Amino acid sequence: MPGHRIRRFTRTALTALAALPLLLTAACTGGGATAAGTADGPVHITFWSALRGSQEVVDAYNRSQRRIHVDFQQIPAGNQGGYAKLSNAARAGNAPDVATLEYPQVPGFAIDGVARDITPLVGERLRKKLLPQALALTTFEGRTFSVPLDVEPMVFLYRHDLFSKHDIAVPRTWAQFEAAARKIKRAAPGSRIATFPTDGGTQLSAWAWQAGARWFDTSDGTWTVSMTDEPTRKVAAYWQRLIDRKLVFLNSVDTQEGSAQVGRGEVFGKLAGAWDAGGTMSSQPGQKGRWRVAPMPRWDLEHPRVGTHGGSTFAVTKDSRHPKEAMDFIEWQVSSPEALKARLASGISSQYPAATGLVPVARKAMDTSYFAGQDIYSLFRREAGHISGQWKWGPRMTATLRIVQDRLARVGEGQGTVLDALRAGQRATMPDLESLGLNVREGSR
């Protein structure tokens, strides 16, 4: 049972401080791999992704060389069934050669043996191109399981015209953010500085990340789960205070209601990943020239730190018969200017490339008139440098965040608190991790 053997040893990689056994490396290099096309034609590899622009990228790659041909299949986004489709295919032994994984899903697919250990395939040339903080999110105990495409530092998108109209300074700290929220509520009672997203488990994660939280830690060979540690409690108390004082909207943002609030000019700002600058351009074209981008408010101006919200990676699966060719395609996709140009040609995007040498390509493609000429990519570059490197995602983040968001929805209905939602997420996570055969310890409660 090769799949079971891979899964068992991959768990070892994520729970111990020792190097992986040689058997894992042998299992993960796979059988039947070839280094080049044959006399009958190019090597064919399969690629599944929900990312917009993927077909354009594949077409550009296939035109660029004749050794490898990529067959692409568009799949639903992860929460809409894409990850379930990938898991089912892996169980049947027919997963694609290359699959797209968002950062929070990488540990789980690694533990399940779906994403193979690609450490020997990720060359030094590629590693040097990638932002270290991004690569660290796909590397566990020195073993790499996927390659980052983009990494999205949290920023503050804000309506410059509304802040100016009411003579309110754009906040640089969280204390200033709360003060500005009070002023906005008084000056424009139907508006709020931002929305606390009841569907925003990943935003809440990023805020805790910025504050120095470590929800998951494997430093002693055991998965310690601490979703209510001291930094997280500080963040939860802060947002609970804003919620209780009705200083922020409290509702889902990925809904018509949330979009309508922004469209009506009732939301002065959005706390989101860098990608949402492009998302705002697409969803609110009539607000061109009114928006700007600022750093996310800090807890400590002297020691700036941010978390991320969003971003995708590419994994080579255990079923790939051509892992070297799969990695060739991945490296081209994440580091080639032609690949980024092809992706950006498919529509508006403000993604921040994990291969930071591509920032000039992204900047050139951006119509900065929406932000009144602001060079948002220079800001993204600075903020990406402040991404805190101590964060780890857990092995079952989809399930963990679902519990948190279910409880945040109750907070929106006046039941429970933000901290209650986090406690519920931690309680539900413990048996999930234990069922994987991992050594687990509960930290702060």
Side-chain angles (χ1 to χ4, degrees):
M1 298 179 65
H4 178 72
R5 185 169 64 252
I6 293 170
R7 175 169 170 165
R8 182 176 69 247
F9 281 106
T10 304
R11 287 178 185 168
T12 303
L14 298 179
T15 58
L17 292 175
L20 286 176
L22 293 176
L23 181 57
L24 174 60
T25 303
C28 290
T29 53
T34 59
T38 68
D40 297 326
V43 169
H44 279 252
I45 63 172
T46 53
F47 171 46
W48 289 5
S49 182
L51 295 177
R52 189 186 66 194
S54 293
Q55 183 66 65
E56 289 82 353
V57 171
V58 168
D59 291 343
Y61 178 75
N62 286 339
R63 289 193 301 267
S64 72
Q65 45 76 53
R66 298 181 180 180
R67 188 171 65 90
I68 304 166
H69 185 89
V70 178
D71 299 306
F72 173 63
Q73 182 178 147
Q74 188 87 25
I75 62 170
N79 291 337
Q80 299 168 16
Y83 292 137
K85 179 181 176 71
L86 177 60
S87 294
N88 291 336
R91 279 194 288 269
N94 56 13
D97 293 277
V98 179
T100 303
L101 301 177
E102 294 164 289
Y103 287 100
Q105 276 68 45
V106 175
F109 278 103
I111 284 178
D112 288 345
V114 178
R116 71 167 66 202
D117 173 15
I118 55 175
T119 308
L121 300 176
V122 183
E124 192 62 26
R125 178 182 64 178
L126 177 57
R127 290 181 184 275
K128 288 180 178 179
K129 293 179 180 179
L130 298 170
L131 187 72
Q133 295 97 315
L135 190 59
L137 291 170
T138 67
T139 301
F140 310 95
E141 311 305 343
R143 314 302 286 180
T144 300
F145 290 87
S146 65
V147 179
L149 170 67
D150 60 321
V151 63
E152 307 296 341
M154 285 281 277
V155 295
F156 182 45
L157 305 168
Y158 67 97
R159 284 284 300 270
H160 177 267
D161 57 330
L162 297 179
F163 273 88
S164 296
K165 176 182 177 181
H166 297 288
D167 194 26
I168 298 172
V170 177
R172 299 178 62 218
T173 68
W174 285 113
Q176 292 172 1
F177 186 89
E178 183 174 357
R182 291 195 296 268
K183 292 177 181 178
I184 289 168
K185 183 182 177 183
R186 288 195 299 268
S191 299
R192 295 294 183 268
I193 191 170
T195 298
F196 180 89
T198 55
D199 56 350
T202 51
Q203 288 99 317
L204 183 55
S205 302
W207 293 329
W209 181 346
Q210 181 202 32
R214 299 187 68 171
W215 285 6
F216 297 89
D217 184 16
T218 60
S219 59
D220 62 356
T222 297
W223 280 89
T224 301
V225 185
S226 300
M227 294 177 61
T228 57
D229 60 8
E230 184 177 350
T232 305
R233 287 173 180 268
K234 177 174 72 172
V235 169
Y238 177 86
W239 284 102
Q240 191 65 52
R241 185 167 64 250
L242 267 59
I243 291 168
D244 292 343
R245 296 176 181 177
K246 295 182 171 52
L247 297 178
V248 291
F249 287 126
L250 182 62
N251 55 254
S252 301
V253 292
D254 290 333
T255 61
Q256 289 185 348
E257 177 187 11
S259 180
Q261 288 171 332
V262 177
R264 292 192 297 263
E266 296 170 356
V267 179
F268 277 51
K270 301 167 69 179
L271 297 158
W275 62 268
D276 199 29
T280 302
M281 293 171 68
S282 298
S283 63
Q284 305 293 340
Q287 296 180 2
K288 180 178 181 179
R290 302 177 187 177
W291 286 87
R292 303 288 190 279
V293 186
M296 193 165 74
R298 315 287 199 208
W299 292 108
D300 183 351
L301 288 174
E302 297 300 318
H303 301 92
R305 182 168 52 192
V306 297
T308 74
H309 175 226
S312 296
T313 75
F314 299 119
V316 180
T317 76
K318 69 178 181 64
D319 294 331
S320 177
R321 297 183 64 248
H322 308 289
K324 293 181 181 179
E325 287 77 10
M327 180 55 65
D328 183 283
F329 170 57
I330 289 174
E331 180 167 357
W332 187 88
Q333 191 172 188
V334 304
S335 66
S336 166
E338 289 71 26
L340 182 55
K341 290 175 184 176
R343 188 176 300 281
L344 295 178
S346 69
I348 297 171
S349 173
S350 62
Q351 70 173 50
Y352 186 78
T356 56
L358 295 182
V359 169
V361 177
R363 179 188 288 117
K364 185 176 181 180
M366 171 60 61
D367 177 10
T368 59
S369 63
Y370 191 89
F371 299 97
Q374 181 184 4
D375 181 3
I376 62 175
Y377 271 96
S378 289
L379 186 145
F380 293 166
R381 182 188 287 274
R382 291 194 301 272
E383 294 307 287
H386 296 317
I387 294 172
S388 177
Q390 92 287 344
W391 183 265
K392 283 185 174 66
W393 291 107
R396 285 292 181 264
M397 287 311 302
T398 298
T400 297
L401 293 177
R402 185 184 302 119
I403 295 296
V404 173
Q405 291 179 178
D406 286 347
R407 294 303 182 97
L408 290 178
R410 298 184 190 180
V411 175
E413 298 167 356
Q415 303 174 24
T417 66
V418 175
L419 187 58
D420 290 338
L422 291 163
R423 284 177 173 147
Q426 177 165 313
R427 284 195 302 270
T429 296
M430 299 303 293
D432 274 354
L433 270 57
E434 289 167 354
S435 70
L436 294 171
L438 302 175
N439 295 324
V440 183
R441 179 173 60 234
E442 192 169 8
S444 303
R445 299 186 182 184

